[in-house]
Amino acid sequence: MNYDAVLSDMVAVARDAGALTLEYFRRFRDIDIGIKGPADFVSDADLESEQLIRKALFSRYPDWSFTGEEFPPVSGTDREHRWLVDPIDGTTNFINGQHYTISIALRRGSQTVCGALYNPVADEMFTAMKGGGAFLNGERLAVSERTEIGLMTIGTGLATRKLTTYPGFYERLASIVGEVGGVRTPGSAANCCAHVAMGRLSGYFEETGFTDTAAGILMVEEAGGVVTDWWGRGPEIYEKTGCLIAANRATHAYLIEKLRAAPIKNETHGKAN
């Protein structure tokens, strides 16, 4: 199947969701906020964005399955194709007037075949198709060529009280901060992956949800990067656990060295925004 038209539809839907969420974003101080769990927020904008995306994709591809962040998954008659959608990745950012990302990935069986990530605030549309490269607003992307540890810039997310994370996270982070050029916390796993794909970050590690990162992982890989879990294992593991490293080759090797002492995790991750 040729997915060019599908990706074009994904871009259009992401832009529509971006326009909707920007209306809320411009008055972020007035947004009603719900709490799903510790540091796990939801707003009317999350719900409306997912409803818009779901309705638009089902109107075009009614038989495909759908998994989102805010509503129960839908299993279509075509079990081979499934959408993975985060209508606002970085809800904490969003409700505080900071950059966020809309993430749409299409899975065919066990593979992500195309993805679209949209940052409405910056009007940055990242796209990727398996075997076809990764792009930002139509320009081809490539990961950073940084190899010197002191020049690496690494993205991550900070553990919050009561959120699942590994014992010793801050000790490991402190050892990384002391050696690299900089550590950044963009607040959106999808955006972190996009920034690795275009070279703004040389690497990224976090414990997060696969719905957030499915499109971004494809972009990193298509831009020449490496994606594994913290112990060097492949998608059959990190898709379940959420323990992710996405980086250029040199930064990936560095992060594996720093993170592999963590107790090995094989269980499904419970994500938070």
Side-chain angles (χ1 to χ4, degrees):
M1 179 175 179
N2 187 314
Y3 291 100
D4 289 341
V6 177
L7 184 56
S8 294
D9 287 338
M10 294 165 68
V11 168
V13 172
R15 288 196 180 279
D16 287 345
L20 182 153
T21 54
L22 273 176
E23 290 301 312
Y24 282 92
F25 180 82
R26 293 187 180 108
R27 47 186 175 85
F28 70 90
R29 291 180 178 86
D30 302 321
I31 294 174
D32 291 328
I33 303 166
I35 300 177
K36 296 189 286 185
D40 193 4
F41 306 112
V42 65
S43 70
D44 287 345
D46 293 83
L47 302 174
E48 291 185 26
S49 178
E50 184 164 322
Q51 287 172 332
L52 181 155
I53 295 168
R54 181 185 292 229
K55 181 177 179 181
L57 293 178
F58 275 131
S59 71
R60 294 166 172 80
Y61 310 97
D63 298 330
W64 293 3
S65 300
F66 186 103
T67 296
E69 287 278 309
E70 311 304 340
F71 299 98
V74 176
S75 294
T77 55
D78 179 347
R79 300 299 178 90
E80 188 176 33
H81 290 91
R82 178 174 292 273
W83 301 105
L84 297 182
V85 172
D86 193 339
I88 296 179
D89 183 53
T91 299
T92 303
N93 278 13
F94 178 79
I95 63 178
N96 288 285
Q98 300 178 50
H99 287 223
Y100 62 98
T101 314
I102 294 163
S103 177
I104 305 176
L106 176 62
R107 300 276 283 179
R108 182 176 182 179
S110 61
Q111 292 189 328
T112 304
V113 292
C114 45
L117 297 177
Y118 185 45
N119 176 343
V121 181
D123 192 24
E124 292 183 333
M125 179 65 73
F126 296 87
T127 58
M129 186 176 299
K130 191 167 183 63
F135 299 85
L136 167 58
N137 294 340
E139 294 189 12
R140 184 177 287 272
L141 301 181
V143 296
S144 167
E145 296 180 356
R146 299 285 191 199
T147 59
E148 299 172 54
I149 293 173
L151 295 177
M152 293 174 180
T153 303
I154 293 172
T156 191
L158 299 181
T160 304
R161 185 173 61 88
K162 294 184 179 179
L163 291 188
T164 301
T165 193
Y166 279 102
F169 172 85
Y170 283 102
E171 289 79 3
R172 285 188 292 276
L173 179 61
S175 72
I176 292 170
V177 169
E179 296 178 349
V180 301
V183 172
R184 298 291 181 264
T185 56
S188 163
N191 221 17
C192 280
C193 290
H195 287 185
V196 171
M198 71 173 301
R200 285 177 182 161
L201 296 171
S202 51
Y204 160 66
F205 75 97
E206 193 172 3
E207 182 184 359
T208 188
F210 184 59
T211 303
D212 301 349
T213 57
I217 287 170
L218 178 63
M219 288 172 197
V220 172
E221 292 175 334
E222 288 296 321
V226 182
V227 181
T228 69
D229 78 350
W230 294 2
W231 303 273
R233 300 177 297 182
E236 70 282 359
I237 304 296
Y238 67 67
E239 290 179 8
K240 298 177 182 178
T241 67
C243 294
L244 189 71
I245 296 174
N248 69 16
R249 292 191 178 278
T251 308
H252 179 267
Y254 171 77
L255 289 173
I256 285 280
E257 182 68 24
K258 287 294 183 178
L259 298 172
R260 66 183 181 184
I264 292 179
K265 184 172 184 182
N266 296 297
E267 296 177 0
T268 301
H269 171 77
K271 85 160 278 280
N273 290 320

